Amino acid sequence: MINFNPLQLFQTKGKIKKVFREAKASYLNRIRFAVGMFYFGMGLSFATWASRIPDIKTALHLTEGDLGSILFSLPMGQLIIMPFSGKMVTKFGSHRILVFSLIMYVLCLANLGLATTGLQLLVGLFLFGLFGNLANIAVNTQGVYTEVLFKKTIMSSFHGMWSFAGFTGALVGLGMLALNLTPLHHFLIVGGVVLLMVAFNFKFLIRAKEKIKHNTEKRKIFVKPDSALIWLGVIGFCSMASEGVMFDWSGVYFKDVVKAPGPLVILGYTSFMIMMAGGRFLGDGLINKFGRERVMQISGVMISAGLFTAVFLPYIVPCTIAFMAVGLGVATIVPTVYSMAGKNPTVPPGEALTIVSSVSFLGFLMGPPVIGHIAQNFGLEFSFAFIGVFGVLIAFMVSKIRTTT
């Protein structure tokens, strides 16, 4: 077992320090840049792994079934650590947990390149998922703190950095393949870059720690979560289910339903990703202008409209436009949900984010396989229409949330 006791030496005190609240705009922008680079580093690490999956599959002589079973260990690692992530971030401070977990995340990435058997890869992916989730809760807590300092919505731009890192990781992966570098060398190079990002930016993370209540309630194992967090989690579930389906099934839809020729098979996925990343960079401005509720309701309608359009007009041009609409729709929902959760008045940000992300992540985990079973029995078009209903549900559920400003 991993012993986190040494972190007791770095126990933080108090809330966000006064030095941050009274800082000049230039220093606040430096903080924002630093937090954004941690989002970028996480996205780059994950995209780097994803870009070499085919090569690792070939090198380890894995079948599609073997690979599918092994890949499931990554979300299992994320699920195992979820009950503890928020408590660790609350107890030790998100800034120290983020540095620690991202360094471990990079080391786990390098270890994936050392795997010579399926079992080694499975264990490596489990740890990769474990530290990835821990870093995810910590970095989103930092995002919430930074947003408080700026007194405006900036969370979408942070998630935009993660999406941009995905494109960067894919391009770097193509370059590494062109240079005939092994996955290990590729992972070591990217890991070194991410560690440099940590070294140059960790001192600008916000040092803060939420108050921990010491009373008899802490002995309770099961405590009913705040209802607002449950609603936010369900909205995140619907959004991440839609997002997961687009990640895993958009290419299949373009190939089997749209009948797109050759290279155009990736057009649906590419158009979705571009609009999702772009929407995240534009989302903060829209939210600050029109408000969270209205933007989330419009986003839900766009998800439904896009998926239903793809079902009823299964042709290249309409489907490309439809998948772009879905990308815009999902772009701001999860960042907004995380932002609202982190500002919950009754639950510390790290723990609130754990509750919401746990429910949300189930959508990302369950959506794609559920789509597969529905498609097998009723067809892929029906399964996309089923997920399309989620967008309408998002628009409806937003009215049930107690908006936090």
Side-chain angles (χ1 to χ4, degrees):
M1 292 184 65
I2 301 172
N3 181 12
F4 291 106
N5 286 337
L7 290 173
Q8 295 278 7
L9 299 173
F10 305 105
Q11 197 90 349
T12 57
K13 297 179 180 180
K15 293 186 177 181
I16 297 176
K17 292 186 177 181
K18 188 176 181 181
V19 64
F20 293 108
R21 294 189 180 278
E22 298 181 352
K24 294 181 179 179
S26 59
Y27 189 70
L28 291 180
N29 287 329
R30 183 63 181 88
I31 293 173
R32 181 176 180 177
F33 176 81
V35 174
M37 292 309 295
F38 274 86
Y39 276 90
F40 185 88
M42 288 178 59
L44 183 62
S45 299
F46 183 81
T48 296
W49 147 249
S51 70
R52 299 309 293 262
I53 291 176
D55 301 287
I56 292 176
K57 174 180 178 295
T58 301
L60 300 185
H61 307 289
L62 301 174
T63 65
E64 284 76 9
D66 293 335
L67 180 63
S69 299
I70 290 172
L71 289 177
F72 192 68
S73 63
L74 193 152
M76 285 302 299
Q78 294 175 318
L79 288 171
I80 290 295
I81 195 64
M82 272 183 179
F84 311 102
S85 299
K87 289 180 172 59
M88 292 174 63
V89 168
T90 299
K91 184 175 183 179
F92 300 113
S94 58
H95 57 296
R96 291 189 174 92
I97 290 295
L98 178 54
V99 172
F100 168 74
S101 57
L102 186 54
I103 291 174
M104 295 302 298
Y105 195 50
V106 168
L107 292 177
C108 289
L109 173 65
N111 284 335
L112 294 176
L114 292 170
T116 57
T117 66
L119 179 60
Q120 291 176 349
L121 183 63
L122 184 147
V123 174
L125 282 174
F126 178 85
L127 294 174
F128 193 58
L130 187 150
F131 287 109
N133 179 262
L134 189 58
N136 177 57
I137 299 300
V139 78
N140 277 294
T141 302
Q142 281 288 311
V144 169
Y145 289 152
T146 308
E147 194 171 63
V148 170
L149 294 180
F150 277 82
K151 299 178 181 179
K152 63 179 182 180
T153 302
I154 59 173
M155 185 66 82
S156 288
S157 64
F158 286 142
H159 285 255
M161 289 297 291
W162 194 96
S163 299
F164 179 66
F167 285 115
T168 304
L171 291 175
V172 171
L174 289 175
M176 296 295 179
L177 286 171
L179 294 173
N180 294 320
L181 291 179
T182 65
L184 175 60
H185 291 137
H186 179 181
F187 295 168
L188 287 173
I189 292 171
V190 171
V193 171
V194 175
L195 290 178
L196 285 175
M197 291 180 187
V198 173
F200 283 108
N201 293 288
F202 80 93
K203 65 176 65 176
F204 296 98
L205 294 177
I206 295 174
R207 292 161 175 79
K209 177 176 176 289
E210 295 296 319
K211 293 181 180 179
I212 303 175
K213 297 180 180 180
H214 297 282
N215 52 38
T216 56
E217 290 186 0
K218 69 180 181 179
R219 297 179 182 177
K220 294 182 180 179
I221 298 176
F222 299 104
V223 179
K224 183 181 179 180
D226 188 291
S227 60
L229 295 179
I230 299 299
W231 280 112
L232 288 172
V234 174
I235 291 173
F237 176 96
C238 292
S239 178
M240 293 197 75
S242 304
E243 187 177 332
V245 166
M246 295 302 293
F247 273 117
D248 291 358
W249 288 96
S250 58
V252 178
Y253 195 88
F254 256 63
K255 180 180 179 181
D256 295 345
V257 178
V258 179
K259 307 294 183 184
L264 292 182
V265 167
I266 67 169
L267 186 60
Y269 174 78
T270 304
S271 61
F272 165 78
M273 284 294 297
I274 290 174
M275 298 309 291
M276 184 177 72
R280 284 179 169 170
F281 285 112
L282 296 173
D284 291 326
L286 295 173
I287 291 171
N288 289 320
K289 184 175 182 179
F290 300 107
R292 289 188 179 98
E293 289 189 9
R294 182 175 298 180
V295 172
M296 290 177 72
Q297 287 173 332
I298 293 174
S299 296
V301 171
M302 290 183 70
I303 292 172
S304 292
L307 290 170
F308 287 138
T309 299
V311 170
F312 292 111
L313 296 173
Y315 310 105
I316 290 181
V317 174
C319 274
T320 300
I321 296 173
F323 283 15
M324 291 170 70
V326 177
L328 282 175
V330 302
T332 58
I333 292 178
V334 169
T336 303
V337 162
Y338 283 5
S339 175
M340 295 173 72
K343 296 173 185 175
N344 186 284
T346 62
V347 183
E351 296 183 31
L353 286 167
T354 299
I355 294 170
V356 173
S357 65
S358 297
V359 179
S360 301
F361 183 73
L362 288 176
F364 195 82
L365 181 65
M366 295 172 58
V370 167
I371 282 295
H373 288 292
I374 294 176
Q376 184 175 352
N377 292 287
F378 302 100
L380 199 54
E381 297 96 323
F382 184 87
S383 61
F384 267 57
F386 174 79
I387 295 297
V389 176
F390 285 10
V392 177
L393 291 176
I394 289 172
F396 170 75
M397 287 186 291
V398 166
S399 63
K400 300 292 183 181
I401 306 173
R402 184 173 66 249
T403 304
T404 304
T405 57

